[in-house]
Amino acid sequence: MENRINQVMELENGKKYVVIKQAVYKGHNYYVSARLTDNEEDILEEYVIFEEVDYNGKKSVLEVKDADLYKLVAKYVGLLD
């Protein structure tokens, strides 16, 4: 697993996120990320957990929408008690 903490990800929609925490759970990579302004100068109060997926042989990320998985990953990386 490559360490992506503090790296910036730019999504296809142009939004940019910085990886704050990273976890591997059941063989899947998860990234706790905060949205950045377009110029990458400031962190916005918009937090997302992404799951790394293989899409046609290329690594990509999908937002975790499942509330139980979201809480599990957040607890796993120490964001929840």
Side-chain angles (χ1 to χ4, degrees), residues 51-77:
E51 178 182 1
E52 184 178 84
V53 295
D54 183 32
Y55 184 72
N56 292 330
K58 181 180 175 187
K59 288 184 181 179
S60 186
V61 294
L62 293 175
E63 183 177 346
V64 173
K65 301 263 185 190
D66 180 275
D68 292 332
L69 180 58
Y70 192 98
K71 288 178 188 175
L72 184 78
V73 172
K75 185 174 183 175
Y76 185 76
V77 297

Side-chain angles (χ1 to χ4, degrees), residues 2 7-10 13 19 21 24 26-27 29 32 36 38 40 50 52-53 58 67 74 79-80:
E2 180 182 342
Q7 290 186 9
V8 175
M9 295 187 298
E10 183 171 356
N13 62 10
V19 177
K21 300 260 186 181
V24 176
K26 292 190 175 182
N29 289 320
V32 179
L36 297 171
D38 290 339
E40 300 180 20
F50 292 106
E52 184 178 84
V53 295
K58 181 180 175 187
L79 297 177
L80 298 175

Side-chain angles (χ1 to χ4, degrees), residues 10-40:
E10 183 171 356
L11 305 184
E12 285 184 358
N13 62 10
K15 291 182 181 180
K16 296 177 183 179
Y17 292 85
V18 62
V19 177
I20 299 169
K21 300 260 186 181
Q22 181 174 345
V24 176
Y25 177 72
K26 292 190 175 182
H28 295 267
N29 289 320
Y30 295 93
Y31 307 110
V32 179
S33 307
R35 186 163 172 221
L36 297 171
T37 56
D38 290 339
N39 63 5
E40 300 180 20

